[in-house]
Amino acid sequence: PDDYEGVALENSVEKQVNGKTKKFLKGARLSYYPSGVNIFTKTTGMKYPEREDMAYKDIKKIVGAGTPHYKKSINIADKQSEFTNTITYEQYNLKRT
């Protein structure tokens, strides 16, 4: 059971899973990610920026001529009632030049 086909056992971690002790290899799945990708997990106590919902014209007053660093639009359409709507998500970073 302690045989991991030549992998050093100091790279393994034991954890309790559903009342059973299991061994996991540290970094065993890192090879599945492309090189250079940032692997992010939430740090305890990390504070995220506050989100605000507001009208588009109010956002444009705040950001001025700035361009969004992220933009996504979703089109919603219902053919039966001929309803259409577009939801646009934009993120601005005013500290970035």
Side-chain angles (χ1 to χ4, degrees):
D2 290 339
D3 184 23
Y4 280 100
E5 297 179 19
V7 177
L9 290 179
E10 60 265 7
N11 289 339
S12 66
V13 177
E14 289 188 6
K15 290 188 178 182
Q16 290 285 333
V17 178
N18 295 331
K20 297 180 182 178
T21 302
K22 293 193 172 190
K23 290 185 180 180
F24 296 95
L25 294 177
K26 293 182 190 176
R29 296 189 161 269
L30 289 177
S31 61
Y32 295 118
Y33 295 96
S35 63
V37 71
N38 292 330
I39 298 174
F40 173 77
T41 58
K42 183 178 176 185
T43 305
T44 304
M46 183 175 187
K47 184 177 179 183
Y48 284 94
E50 291 182 19
R51 296 182 122 186
E52 296 182 36
D53 293 330
M54 61 178 70
Y56 191 74
K57 63 181 180 179
D58 296 333
I59 295 170
K60 283 299 184 183
K61 287 179 187 175
I62 295 171
V63 297
T67 57
H69 71 273
Y70 174 78
K71 185 174 182 176
K72 177 176 83 169
S73 294
I74 299 173
N75 293 322
I76 300 171
D78 183 15
K79 293 181 182 179
Q80 292 177 347
S81 64
E82 297 181 6
F83 171 81
T84 59
N85 193 10
T86 302
I87 300 173
T88 302
Y89 298 94
E90 291 183 356
Q91 291 181 0
Y92 293 88
N93 187 349
L94 298 179
K95 294 179 182 177
R96 186 174 8 177
T97 57

